[in-house]
């Protein structure tokens, strides 16, 4: 068995996988030591000949690049499989430097040596993509970015709304024991491998192909993929908000098949773990206001009738949606489309008959180049939308003031810190700019839309209360201003409804209406009281309430709308260590949270997890019920297994409050024993 000596691991940035076996990155030499048997011919460079053979997959073939044979040369090559050798002064060992092709398929390889027809197996090694190699399709120039997008084991996943963005910690854990083997199993379980293993293994040289396979396999819709998506009933599984890391999910899948349940941020975080484990630079991206186009016409139609009532339709706008970007070249599309590529493992629509999406170049989305594969039109529509009124004669009219903003505050974790990095400019030109309109018109040239309706003279705005913590009562306001030269009379409607982060509307939890006459240059205000007794039973674990204010002036065919989704503030989860963290010695973390609700919390529990801290597994403490306005508290012991800087993640779960997460940085000291 080939072992990963320290020098190989350090040079290939794979030391975090451990030293038990050889794990290397393609396009870069690694060293194997051969021990000569007693009585064998003396090895002389250039005088002793043998052939090295590497193979991967069940049907290795040279034609598929899954098998390569090569002899010793004076030096290794940067473009193909090659080897060179030097003899130890003792003449008992030979040091062989082997360089793989930067375009070789990734995966599990066998290595054998053929000396005068006698073949000897040297063992197995794993070959990964190499962001450090200029000849590799995933090459990244910046070392700080490679550290972040390939090697970082924890990160932030952003959720909420564009007005209230909250980062939740996530433990990617791509170097945890056994995770890489599970990632390779995902590739081997994909239907393309089952139907044509030779073609699939050959395709693994291309990160575009591998990313598309992962997009399909992270969800279980067309196969026995990793996660089952669920946005309603969570019985028989784990609520998506409980997960705080990928490791537990991947291990459960490897042991017993599809894991219940996931939602977009879970799908994306697991996809990021698998991508980084395989060597593909990857980031988790959150789009605030994310449209879901079901009929592929590039317009997200939020339809309303003349009375301001919502007409049900297939299109929806998610308050946020999470996907991944992976870094690679696109020789199939041209150099201008190299760089970040968007893939979405959340099952929404099929692509080529399979629930997958991408990879599509971020540059193509920004420029409206919607013929570029894969799935650029669907992703483009996720960041572009409009609201329409359907008149009784069948015509459609745009709401004035309803340039419903989607694709806002597109966010990912900053390189080297836990700060949020806004990457909206990478996906879109500035809203309202000449370039943005040109891109939109290019994508929309085939859509014919009536632009009837008065010039926007009525202006609507929603004002929120300062403190809107879950469990409290508060008041919100809709403010209507008349900028017309004449007075206007209209129906003024103000709705509050629970909403899921995926835009699915729930029960109403507040309504106010009035018929108002607004003089020119003046305004009217409509208030709406939101009591916990009204919204408490209606909201989901996302703690979102959608506010919609609408004015209807049928006489002038003038429709105005303002909409805001509010995220109710959550209580703070506090984590602190009870003592110093020392290598291989038990230490306890104390977790506390105040119940803000006017009712008891049932089935309460705290969970902690951290790479190098909790033995790669979450540890949970169940504490039962917590009375209204009382503090939940637990002390959880763990034994650090890695010295240095680590991150401890925490999660609180209960029947009425979920998704409450926090983290602390932990410095583990060496033991004096």
């Amino acid at each position: 068995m080939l072992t990963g000596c320290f020098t190989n691991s350090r040079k290939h940035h794979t030391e975090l996988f451990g030293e038990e076996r050889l794990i290397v990155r393609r396009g870069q030499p690694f060293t194997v030591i051969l021990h000569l048997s007693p009585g064998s011919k003396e090895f002389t460079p250039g005088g002793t000949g043998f052939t090295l053979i590497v193979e991967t997959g069940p049907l290795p073939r040279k034609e598929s690049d899954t098998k390569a044979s090569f002899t010793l040369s004076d030096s290794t090559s940067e473009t193909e499989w090659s080897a060179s050798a030097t003899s130890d002064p003792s003449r008992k060992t030979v040091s062989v430097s082997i360089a793989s092709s930067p375009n070789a398929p990734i995966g599990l390889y066998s290595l054998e040596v053929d000396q005068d027809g006698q073949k000897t197996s040297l063992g197995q090694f794993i070959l990964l993509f190499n962001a450090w190699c200029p000849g590799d399709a995933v090459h990244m120039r910046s070392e700080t970015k490679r550290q972040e997008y390939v090697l970082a084991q924890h990160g932030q996943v952003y959720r909420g709304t564009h007005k209230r963005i909250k980062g939740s910690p996530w433990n990617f854990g791509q170097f945890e024991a056994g995770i890489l083997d599970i990632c390779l199993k995902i590739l081997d379980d994909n239907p393309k491998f089952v139907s044509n293993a030779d073609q699939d293994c050959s395709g693994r040289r291309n990160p575009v192909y591998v990313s598309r396979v992962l997009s399909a396999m992270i969800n279980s819709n067309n196969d026995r993929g990793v996660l089952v998506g669920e946005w309603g009933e969570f019985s028989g599984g784990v609520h998506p908000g409980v997960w705080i890391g990928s490791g537990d999910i991947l291990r459960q899948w490897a042991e017993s098949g599809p894991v219940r349940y996931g939602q977009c941020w879970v799908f994306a975080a697991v996809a990021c773990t698998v991508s980084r484990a395989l060597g593909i630079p990857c980031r988790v991206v959150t789009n605030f206001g994310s449209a879901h186009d079901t009929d592929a016409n590039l317009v997200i139609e939020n339809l309303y009738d003349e009375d301001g009532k919502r007409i049900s339709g297939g299109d929806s706008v998610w308050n946020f949606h999470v996907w991944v970007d992976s870094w690679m070249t696109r020789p199939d599309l041209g150099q201008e489309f190299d760089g970040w590529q968007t893939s979405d493992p959340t099952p929404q629509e099929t692509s080529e008959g399979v629930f997958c999406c991408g990879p599509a170049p971020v540059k193509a989305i920004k420029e409206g180049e919607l013929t570029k594969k894969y799935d650029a039109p669907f992703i483009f529509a996720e960041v572009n939308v409009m609201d329409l009124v359907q008149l009784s004669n069948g015509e459609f009219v745009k709401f004035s003031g309803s340039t419903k903003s989607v694709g806002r505050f597109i966010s990912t974790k900053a390189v080297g810190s836990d700060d949020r990095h806004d990457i909206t400019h990478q996906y879109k030109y500035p809203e309202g700019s000449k370039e943005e309109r040109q891109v939109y018109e290019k994508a929309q040239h085939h859509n014919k839309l009536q632009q009837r309706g008065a010039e926007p003279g009525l202006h609507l705005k929603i004002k929120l209360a300062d403190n809107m913590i879950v469990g409290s009562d508060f008041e919100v306001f809709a403010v209507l201003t008349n900028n017309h030269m004449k007075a206007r009379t209209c129906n003024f409607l103000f709705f509050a409804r629970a909403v899921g982060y995926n835009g699915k509307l729930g029960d109403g939890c507040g309504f106010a209406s009035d018929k108002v006459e607004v003089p020119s240059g003046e305004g009217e205000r409509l208030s709406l009281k939101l009591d916990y007794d009204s919204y408490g039973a209606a909201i989901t674990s996302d703690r979102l309430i959608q506010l919609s204010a609408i004015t209807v002036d049928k006489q002038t065919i003038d429709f105005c709308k303002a909409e805001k989704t509010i995220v109710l503030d959550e209580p703070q989860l506090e984590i602190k260590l009870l003592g110093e963290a020392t290598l291989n010695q038990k230490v306890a973390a104390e977790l506390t949270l105040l119940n803000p609700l006017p009712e008891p919390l049932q089935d309460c529990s705290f969970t902690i997890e951290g790479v190098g801290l909790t033995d790669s597994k979450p540890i949970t403490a169940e504490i039962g019920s917590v009375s209204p306005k009382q503090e939940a508290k637990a002390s959880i012991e763990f034994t650090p297994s890695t010295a240095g800087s680590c991150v401890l993640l925490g999660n609180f779960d209960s029947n009425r409050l979920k998704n409450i997460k926090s983290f602390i940085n932990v410095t583990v000291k060496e033991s004096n024993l």
Side-chain angles (χ1 to χ4, degrees):
M1 179 180 179
L2 294 172
T3 57
C5 74
F6 176 75
T7 302
N8 281 330
S9 298
R10 182 170 49 82
K11 288 183 177 179
H12 286 256
H13 309 278
T14 59
E15 63 268 32
L16 292 173
F17 285 117
E19 300 293 329
E20 294 76 25
R21 55 186 174 169
L22 183 60
I23 301 171
V24 293
R25 301 186 188 276
R26 65 185 192 174
Q28 184 176 335
F30 61 92
T31 302
V32 176
I33 306 297
L34 302 182
H35 295 267
L36 301 178
S37 58
S40 62
K41 277 194 307 183
E42 182 177 317
F43 176 85
T44 56
T48 304
F50 56 76
T51 300
L52 292 164
I53 304 167
V54 291
E55 297 180 341
T56 186
L59 301 166
R61 299 192 315 137
K62 290 182 180 179
E63 297 80 4
S64 301
D65 286 338
T66 51
K67 180 178 182 178
S69 303
F70 46 98
T71 56
L72 295 178
S73 305
D74 292 337
S75 61
T76 56
S77 168
E78 294 181 352
T79 59
E80 60 185 357
W81 285 96
S82 58
S84 64
T86 57
S87 178
D88 183 83
S90 69
R91 308 294 186 185
K92 293 181 180 179
T93 63
V94 177
S95 177
V96 182
S97 178
I98 300 172
S100 60
S101 164
N103 299 309
I106 64 159
L108 179 65
Y109 277 78
S110 64
L111 173 64
E112 63 180 7
V113 61
D114 183 344
Q115 189 172 19
D116 299 327
Q118 182 177 346
K119 293 182 179 180
T120 304
S121 173
L122 300 180
Q124 295 180 320
F125 65 95
I126 294 174
L127 189 67
L128 304 176
F129 291 109
N130 191 355
W132 286 261
C133 174
D136 196 305
V138 303
H139 175 244
M140 265 188 156
R141 290 189 180 90
S142 166
E143 175 60 22
T144 55
K145 289 182 179 179
R146 294 190 293 245
Q147 292 287 329
E148 179 70 46
Y149 298 128
V150 180
L151 300 183
Q153 293 200 77
H154 81 278
Q156 295 281 323
V157 179
Y158 294 96
R159 298 189 292 172
T161 73
H162 73 276
K163 290 283 191 180
R164 201 73 66 93
I165 297 174
K166 180 173 176 58
S168 292
W170 191 272
N171 179 20
F172 296 116
Q174 66 269 30
F175 297 111
E176 292 178 2
I179 294 300
L180 179 56
D181 291 312
I182 296 171
C183 296
L184 294 175
K185 174 179 167 60
I186 289 172
L187 296 182
D188 287 347
D189 280 15
N190 98 83
K192 293 181 179 180
F193 177 85
V194 174
S195 63
N196 191 330
D198 175 58
Q199 185 175 313
D200 177 75
C201 288
S202 179
R204 296 181 192 179
R205 70 187 114 176
N206 185 355
V208 176
Y209 177 83
V210 172
S211 294
R212 190 154 174 82
V213 167
L214 295 182
S215 172
M217 281 299 295
I218 299 303
N219 70 74
S220 64
N221 282 43
N222 299 105
D223 41 55
R224 286 184 58 76
V226 177
L227 278 159
V228 179
E230 180 58 51
W231 285 263
E233 175 55 50
F234 303 106
S235 61
V238 175
H239 188 285
V242 173
W243 303 114
I244 54 178
S246 303
D248 209 27
I249 295 169
L250 290 168
R251 281 186 284 268
Q252 284 190 37
W253 173 78
E255 292 171 5
S256 54
V259 178
R260 302 173 186 269
Y261 295 99
Q263 290 180 4
C264 68
W265 70 91
V266 186
F267 287 109
V270 172
C272 184
T273 293
V274 179
S275 299
R276 290 183 182 181
L278 298 177
I280 301 174
C282 190
R283 66 187 184 186
V284 177
V285 174
T286 303
N287 176 34
F288 289 96
S290 190
H292 179 184
D293 183 17
T294 57
D295 52 11
N297 68 348
L298 304 183
V299 176
I300 304 303
E301 299 100 341
N302 290 315
L303 297 181
Y304 296 80
D305 66 17
E306 292 183 41
D307 295 317
K309 292 181 181 178
R310 182 79 175 261
I311 301 173
S312 61
D315 289 346
S316 61
V317 176
W318 298 34
N319 289 290
F320 67 89
H321 184 50
V322 188
W323 56 65
V324 291
D325 284 346
S326 302
W327 182 270
M328 64 195 69
T329 59
R330 290 304 297 264
D332 56 329
L333 301 179
Q335 286 186 353
E336 66 269 33
F337 295 109
D338 290 351
W340 289 115
Q341 314 288 320
T342 295
S343 294
D344 189 353
T346 300
Q348 295 187 80
E349 300 292 328
T350 58
S351 172
E352 298 179 340
V354 177
F355 276 97
C356 65
C357 182
V362 170
K363 184 70 177 296
I365 298 164
K366 181 173 182 176
E367 299 296 340
E369 296 286 350
L370 305 186
T371 61
K372 305 303 179 187
K373 61 185 182 183
Y374 294 89
D375 310 305
F378 181 82
I379 300 167
F380 175 86
E382 289 188 302
V383 296
N384 297 276
V385 74
M386 67 177 65
D387 289 328
L388 305 173
V389 177
Q390 185 171 18
L391 303 178
S392 56
N393 63 5
E395 292 182 6
F396 291 100
V397 178
K398 285 179 66 175
F399 269 106
S400 64
S402 77
T403 52
K404 172 134 184 169
S405 287
V406 297
R408 305 183 72 186
F409 297 90
I410 301 175
S411 303
T412 191
K413 177 186 172 296
V415 174
S417 79
D418 287 314
D419 295 338
R420 184 183 72 87
H421 178 43
D422 194 301
I423 55 173
T424 310
H425 63 283
Q426 296 180 18
Y427 278 85
K428 300 176 71 173
Y429 286 103
E431 291 280 352
S433 68
K434 181 180 72 173
E435 294 88 350
E436 188 257 351
R437 295 319 306 165
Q438 288 173 345
V439 168
Y440 191 69
E441 287 165 10
K442 178 164 61 173
Q444 281 293 345
H445 69 275
H446 62 283
N447 286 318
K448 303 292 188 248
L449 178 67
Q450 295 282 346
Q451 294 293 334
R452 289 186 54 192
E455 289 298 315
L458 291 177
H459 181 260
L460 263 176
K461 186 174 183 179
I462 295 174
K463 292 189 174 181
L464 305 178
D466 290 333
N467 296 308
M468 297 182 294
I469 190 166
V470 62
S472 66
D473 301 337
F474 53 91
E475 197 168 14
V476 292
F477 302 91
V479 180
L480 173 64
T481 306
N482 180 14
N483 296 321
H484 285 289
M485 298 300 291
K486 296 180 181 179
R488 283 300 178 93
T489 301
C490 55
N491 292 326
F492 196 173
L493 311 170
F494 200 6
F495 305 88
R497 294 184 72 173
V499 64
Y501 84 90
N502 62 345
K504 184 177 180 181
L505 293 171
D507 293 337
C509 51
F511 174 69
S513 65
D514 197 4
K515 187 167 185 176
V516 295
E517 181 176 346
V518 190
S520 174
E522 296 187 19
E524 286 285 339
R525 189 168 83 159
L526 190 60
S527 67
L528 182 59
K529 185 79 179 294
L530 292 173
D531 299 320
Y532 180 75
D533 289 344
S534 300
Y535 71 75
I539 60 171
T540 70
S541 60
D542 301 315
R543 298 184 294 279
L544 298 172
I545 298 175
Q546 186 183 88
L547 303 174
S548 299
I550 294 174
T551 60
V552 178
D553 186 345
K554 293 184 181 180
Q555 187 174 355
T556 60
I557 317 180
D558 194 355
F559 300 85
C560 193
K561 178 186 175 195
E563 194 166 85
K564 227 168 221 186
T565 300
I566 58 176
V567 186
L568 298 175
D569 289 334
E570 63 189 37
Q572 188 71 30
L573 171 58
E574 300 284 351
I575 308 173
K576 68 177 181 179
L577 286 188
L578 302 178
E580 277 191 341
T582 305
L583 185 65
N584 298 324
Q585 294 183 23
K586 283 187 177 180
V587 66
E590 184 180 76
L591 299 94
T592 55
L593 177 140
L594 181 68
N595 174 15
L597 305 186
E599 61 176 317
L601 296 175
Q602 307 293 340
D603 305 320
C604 300
S605 66
F606 290 100
T607 299
I608 61 170
E609 180 179 340
V611 174
L613 298 175
T614 64
D615 194 26
S616 302
K617 294 180 181 178
I619 305 173
T620 299
E622 298 180 355
I623 60 171
S625 62
V626 177
S627 300
K629 310 298 182 181
Q630 295 299 304
E631 190 174 67
K633 181 181 289 189
S635 179
I636 304 178
E637 285 189 336
F638 62 96
T639 304
S641 57
T642 302
S645 180
C646 301
V647 178
L648 185 68
L649 283 59
N651 181 70
F652 176 79
D653 186 45
S654 69
N655 64 327
R656 302 296 298 157
L657 283 178
K658 297 178 183 292
N659 300 349
I660 313 295
K661 293 177 168 59
S662 187
F663 72 97
I664 57 170
N665 294 308
V666 177
T667 300
V668 180
K669 296 185 176 181
E670 295 278 2
S671 174
N672 294 323
L673 298 177

